[in-house]
Amino acid sequence: MTVYNIALIGFGGVNRALAELVAKRNTLWERELGFCLNIVAVSDLRLGSVVSPDGLDPRMLLQANFAPGGFGRLSGGRSQADNEMIIKSAPPDIIVEATFTNPKDGEPAVTHCRWALKARKHVVTANKGVVAFAAHELNTLAKAGGLSFEYEGAVMSGTPVMRMAEKTLIGTRVMGFEGILNGTSNFVLGRMEHGMDLSSAIKEAQALGYAEADPTADIEGHDVRLKVAILANELLGASLKPKDVACEGISRLSSQDINTAINESSRWKLVGSAIRGKDGVVVGTVAPRRLSLQHPLAAVGGVTNAVSLDTELLGSVTIAGPGAGRTETAYALLSDIVAIHADRSKATAAA
Ligand code: HSE
C-alpha cells in the first residue's frame, strides 16, 4: 500500500475540504485508487502550524480552534505559520498549496511552490496566481527534478478541462477556446436578465459566497484574464502573461443592453477566449459577447462554468461543470494526486 505524506499549506475552505475527504475516504481510496493520504503538517498564516511526522488526525484538525494562532494549542503546534520549515523539512512527499490567490504576482504561493520543488517535493495547487504567473518556471523546475507540479483546479475547480484537453483529447490539436470562466459574473448576468440591477445582483452573489473577496475581479474580468492566460499557455503552448490578455468586464452593460439581447433571441455572456492565428501567435481576450441562443455557451446558467475547445479533428468540444467551491476544488487536488500516483506507478513498473 502506498501512503503519501502530505503537507497542507493554507487551511482555508479548500484544504479543510481536502482534510474532510481524507477523514471520510482514505479507506475507499486505499481500495479504489491504490494509495492513501497521511497529513503530516498544516500551516496557515492566521492559525499557525502543526507538525507530526507520524500523521495528524484529520478529524482533530477539523475540530481545532480556528481563532488566530489556534494551532498553538495543538500538540506539535505553534501559533506562527512555519511555511518554509514545513515545506523544506523531510516528512511530506507532496505539498498541497492552497493559500490565497494574489492576482498581481502570485506571491507568496509562487515562492512556496519553488521551495517545495527545490526540496524535491511534488506540488499540487489550485492557486490561479501561481499558475498564471509562474507555471513555466515551476514546470521546468519540476521536470529537472523528476517531480510533478499539478494544477487542474486553477481553472474550473475539479471540472477537468486541462486533463480532458491534454489526456483524453490527445492526438487532436486544440486551436482555440472560448469559455465562461467566472461563476459570479455569469450569475449576475442571469439575475439581470430577471430584472435585477448590477449592484443588487453582485450583493446576492457575495451573500451566496461565489464572489472573490474583491468582486471587482469577477465583474471587470480580471479573474477570467488569469484563467485565459493559464489555458492559453497550457492548451495552446503560448507564453502569455495575464497583462497580455485584453480585458473588459460586464460593468458597462446596461439593463437595456440585456433586455435588447433577450428580445432578439440572444444573451450577453462574459467570454474568455484565446486563438492561435495563422501566424502562430496566440491572442487572448476577455470581453462581454452577445451570443445567439444556439451557441454552446449561451445556455450555461448560474455559477456554472464551461469551455468550448476548438479541436482540429472533432470540431467544437464543450465541457461544463462547477468552476469553484470547497469540495469541488479539493477534488481537483485529489485528481492531481491521482495523476502523481499514476506517474510514479508507471516509473516504478518501467524500472
Ligand atoms: N470568484 C470566482 C468565480 C471563483 O466566481 O468563478 C473561482 O475562481
Side-chain angles (χ1 to χ4, degrees):
M1 171 54 47
T2 305
V3 179
Y4 291 114
N5 288 327
I6 64 172
L8 308 182
I9 307 301
F11 203 54
V14 172
N15 266 345
R16 283 185 214 179
L18 183 63
E20 273 167 36
L21 291 178
V22 173
K24 288 187 196 142
R25 297 188 180 217
N26 242 352
T27 315
L28 179 78
W29 292 343
E30 265 183 51
R31 224 175 32 242
E32 295 191 348
L33 304 178
F35 66 81
C36 65
L37 300 180
N38 184 35
I39 303 171
V40 291
V42 186
S43 182
D44 182 271
L45 268 186
R46 199 171 146 271
L47 302 172
S49 43
V50 56
V51 180
S52 167
D54 294 332
L56 296 155
D57 178 354
R59 289 181 183 82
M60 176 279 291
L61 287 171
L62 292 163
Q63 285 159 10
N65 183 322
F66 289 122
F71 280 171
R73 301 194 197 154
L74 301 176
S75 150
R78 281 164 54 82
S79 52
Q80 292 82 28
D82 287 330
N83 288 333
E84 186 167 2
M85 181 276 289
I86 286 174
I87 291 169
K88 293 180 175 175
S89 75
D93 305 308
I94 301 174
I95 301 296
V96 184
E97 215 295 340
T99 61
F100 65 97
T101 286
N102 175 343
K104 294 204 166 66
D105 59 9
E107 290 294 2
V110 172
T111 297
H112 296 161
C113 296
R114 201 181 283 127
W115 281 339
L117 293 166
K118 286 189 173 165
R120 307 203 51 74
K121 316 280 163 71
H122 303 292
V123 175
V124 301
T125 185
N127 191 311
K128 291 168 281 195
V130 170
V131 186
F133 289 98
H136 180 70
E137 178 208 329
L138 297 170
N139 272 318
T140 306
L141 204 52
K143 211 167 163 194
L147 297 158
S148 297
F149 172 54
E150 301 286 339
Y151 41 84
E152 180 65 61
V155 178
M156 285 176 76
S157 67
T159 306
V161 60
M162 288 190 255
R163 261 188 208 108
M164 181 183 81
E166 287 166 359
K167 304 268 191 236
T168 312
L169 294 177
I170 193 159
T172 175
R173 262 171 28 120
V174 175
M175 278 112 54
F177 65 85
E178 48 188 18
I180 292 175
L181 294 166
N182 181 273
T184 300
S185 53
N186 204 48
F187 174 87
V188 164
L189 288 172
R191 299 303 281 154
M192 288 175 77
E193 285 178 7
H194 285 92
M196 199 178 257
D197 64 76
L198 179 74
S199 65
S200 311
I202 294 173
K203 281 197 190 102
E204 194 176 330
Q206 281 178 304
L208 291 166
Y210 302 141
E212 297 290 304
D214 174 4
T216 317
D218 298 297
I219 300 306
E220 297 302 354
H222 308 154
D223 175 64
V224 179
R225 181 164 56 181
L226 293 180
K227 294 166 180 169
V228 166
I230 292 170
L231 289 183
N233 296 345
E234 195 69 20
L235 308 186
L236 305 177
S239 307
L240 298 185
K241 296 276 179 223
K243 68 173 171 42
D244 301 328
V245 177
C247 180
E248 184 189 338
I250 59 170
S251 62
R252 286 202 288 185
L253 288 178
S254 65
S255 301
Q256 196 184 340
D257 295 326
I258 305 274
N259 291 335
T260 306
I262 293 173
N263 293 336
E264 294 173 3
S265 303
S266 59
R267 52 168 56 114
W268 286 97
K269 292 288 183 192
L270 181 62
V271 177
S273 61
I275 187 156
R276 189 190 288 111
K278 288 202 175 70
D279 54 3
V281 175
V282 174
V283 177
T285 313
V286 180
R289 274 177 46 199
R290 200 172 129 169
L291 305 179
S292 89
L293 295 184
Q294 280 70 46
H295 191 284
L297 300 179
V300 176
V303 288
T304 301
N305 283 200
V307 170
S308 289
L309 303 172
D310 178 20
T311 72
E312 204 176 11
L313 303 178
L314 288 173
S316 173
V317 176
T318 301
I319 181 167
R326 302 166 63 242
T327 305
E328 294 83 345
T329 310
Y331 170 71
L333 297 171
L334 172 69
S335 77
D336 287 341
I337 296 172
V338 171
I340 292 175
H341 181 64
D343 282 351
R344 297 307 103 193
S345 306
K346 223 187 294 169
T348 311

